[in-house]
């Protein structure tokens, strides 16, 4: 992700999934995205990462997508026109746009898949997914230019309950 936005000097990549010391001491684990792309303390893109061990677990992918949309709704409610969402499952990334075009209906657009190179042989396959990464880069530029502040706190009370429901088999 850092290589994608390297020439945009005001953008930084933050890994937000670390538990703060106070929450760790209390035995709590806050719900926040795995990483976020910020521009001057403003979130413009958030993402979830799943490793190779859980790459085939459907419930984990669904849970990550649910969290992405939930956090993306917070970005939209703070005034952004578009929330950029990235879900990475081992070496495959999926890029989404979350928007509210009219009447408060949330639309989740799948822009496309892109390859995350994990070895030297995968670098060539990255070129095949260049249109998706270029679309992501253009959207990042558009969000940076908007410069609307997005809160850094992720207060989503419904997430623990939703995780229980997702793991239950019907």
């Amino acid at each position: 992700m850092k290589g994608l936005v390297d020439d945009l000097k005001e953008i930084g990549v933050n890994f937000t999934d670390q538990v703060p010391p106070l929450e760790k001491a209390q035995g709590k684990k806050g719900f926040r995205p795995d990483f976020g792309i910020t521009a001057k303390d403003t979130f413009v893109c958030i993402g979830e990462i799943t490793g190779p061990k859980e790459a085939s677990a459907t419930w984990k992918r669904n849970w990550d997508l649910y969290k992405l949309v939930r956090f993306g709704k917070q970005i939209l409610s703070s005034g952004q026109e578009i929330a950029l969402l990235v879900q990475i499952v081992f070496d495959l990334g999926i890029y989404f746009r979350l928007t509210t075009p009219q009447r408060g209906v949330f639309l989740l657009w799948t822009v496309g898949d892109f390859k995350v190179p994990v070895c030297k042989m995968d670098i060539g396959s990255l070129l095949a997914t260049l249109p998706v990464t270029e679309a992501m880069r253009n959207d990042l530029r558009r969000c940076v230019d908007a410069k609307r502040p997005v809160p850094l706190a992720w207060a989503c009370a419904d997430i623990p309950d939703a995780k229980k429901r997702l793991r239950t088999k019907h």
Side-chain angles (χ1 to χ4, degrees), residues 61-133:
R61 290 193 312 272
N62 291 343
W63 170 239
D64 283 349
L65 184 60
Y66 173 81
K67 285 195 305 183
L68 278 176
V69 171
R70 188 67 180 94
F71 296 137
K73 283 172 65 175
Q74 279 189 308
I75 289 176
L76 291 176
S77 67
S78 70
Q80 290 274 25
E81 297 174 11
I82 182 174
L84 310 178
L85 312 172
V86 177
Q87 183 177 20
I88 298 175
V89 180
F90 182 47
D91 62 347
L92 181 69
I94 307 167
Y95 173 52
F96 301 100
R97 288 183 192 127
L98 183 66
T99 59
T100 53
Q102 56 186 330
R103 290 183 257 166
V105 177
F106 292 96
L107 292 177
L108 182 66
W109 300 87
T110 303
V111 177
D113 301 341
F114 61 94
K115 184 75 172 163
V116 178
V118 292
C119 63
K120 287 181 183 178
M121 294 179 68
D122 290 343
I123 292 174
S125 61
L126 181 63
L127 294 175
T129 61
L130 204 54
V132 176
T133 54

Side-chain angles (χ1 to χ4, degrees), residues 1-11 13 137 141:
M1 293 307 296
K2 184 69 173 150
L4 184 66
V5 296
D6 232 4
D7 69 329
L8 300 171
K9 301 297 181 207
E10 62 271 2
I11 286 187
V13 178
R137 183 182 179 81
R141 278 209 175 110

Side-chain angles (χ1 to χ4, degrees), residues 13-20 30-38 43 45-48 71 152 154:
V13 178
N14 301 325
F15 291 92
T16 60
D17 65 334
Q18 284 97 19
V19 180
F31 291 99
R32 48 184 74 78
D34 290 340
F35 71 89
I37 297 179
T38 58
F43 273 94
C45 179
I46 55 174
E48 287 288 329
F71 296 137
L152 299 178
W154 304 103

